[in-house]
Amino acid sequence: MRLPLRDTPRAYGKVTRALHWTVAALVLWQFMTMILKVGFGVSPRDSALVGSHGPVGTAVFVLIVIRVAWAFANAGRRPDHGRGFIGIAAKAGHGILYLVMLIVPLAALARAFGSGRGFSPFGFPLFPTRDEPIAWMVAFGDAVHGELGWVFGVLLIGHIAMVGLHEAMWKDGTLAKMAGKKALRGG
């Protein structure tokens, strides 16, 4: 059986998988750039890798918005998270992940807009420079973006650990729904 474009009750489709794994790779990139910055003191001026954090974060935000819209478009078609406490916890966990993936880049964009220095990821101007900063936007971004970003990292570790638990302990094919074809065969 071929992998469908849209989600099915047995497995996530091509679009969901492409969005999931693309976001995963870009988020890994984001954490790598921040580890270089925070852990090794590499500045955006010294390294194109660290300097890519803002533009790549903007791309992640756009992909997350698309991913949320795609999830709503596939509501009722997607694999079920199960019943009882485990199913409720899985739905809540995914909801929190989506929420944090929206808030973290929104806080950064608010900070960049509020700073007045303008922002042009990948050469496309999102907003121009201004003379007057907007203090509350900068304060919000400063208070939320970095700290919630690291919380997001912890949530991702938990997400990966739960996939491992599903595979090792419950052997319920959770990983195959997002990464393999076994779920399509019903195996």
Side-chain angles (χ1 to χ4, degrees):
M1 182 176 230
R2 298 185 69 204
L3 187 63
L5 195 63
R6 295 191 68 180
D7 298 342
T8 71
R10 283 192 144 151
Y12 295 99
K14 290 179 183 178
V15 173
T16 298
R17 289 177 183 212
L19 288 168
H20 178 272
W21 294 109
T22 302
V23 167
L26 292 175
V27 166
L28 181 62
W29 178 269
Q30 292 296 80
F31 279 107
M32 182 190 70
T33 63
M34 283 302 93
I35 289 167
L36 285 172
K37 181 180 177 189
V38 174
F40 298 99
V42 179
S43 78
R45 288 182 297 273
D46 298 335
S47 169
L49 294 175
V50 175
S52 72
H53 189 80
V56 171
T58 303
V60 169
F61 177 68
V62 169
L63 289 172
I64 292 303
V65 170
I66 292 168
R67 192 166 172 198
V68 167
W70 185 253
F72 279 114
N74 280 274
R77 301 177 56 92
R78 307 184 105 193
D80 188 21
H81 289 299
R83 309 237 185 281
F85 176 76
I86 299 296
I88 292 168
K91 287 177 190 170
H94 283 97
I96 291 168
L97 281 170
Y98 276 103
L99 184 63
V100 171
M101 284 190 288
L102 288 168
I103 293 172
V104 168
L106 269 176
L109 287 169
R111 179 176 58 197
F113 181 79
S115 74
R117 59 177 191 257
F119 186 56
S120 298
F122 304 110
F124 299 103
L126 283 186
F127 33 85
T129 57
R130 287 188 334 281
D131 292 332
E132 289 294 316
I134 303 170
W136 74 264
M137 292 179 107
V138 174
F140 169 72
D142 285 344
V144 172
H145 179 71
E147 287 75 6
L148 194 57
W150 294 115
V151 168
F152 178 51
V154 171
L155 291 171
L156 288 177
I157 291 168
H159 179 65
I160 293 165
M162 287 309 299
V163 170
L165 186 63
H166 275 274
E167 291 301 307
M169 191 169 170
W170 297 320
K171 300 181 186 333
D172 61 5
T174 293
L175 183 59
K177 292 174 186 175
M178 185 59 79
K181 293 190 177 192
K182 180 180 172 186
L184 291 172
R185 294 187 300 267

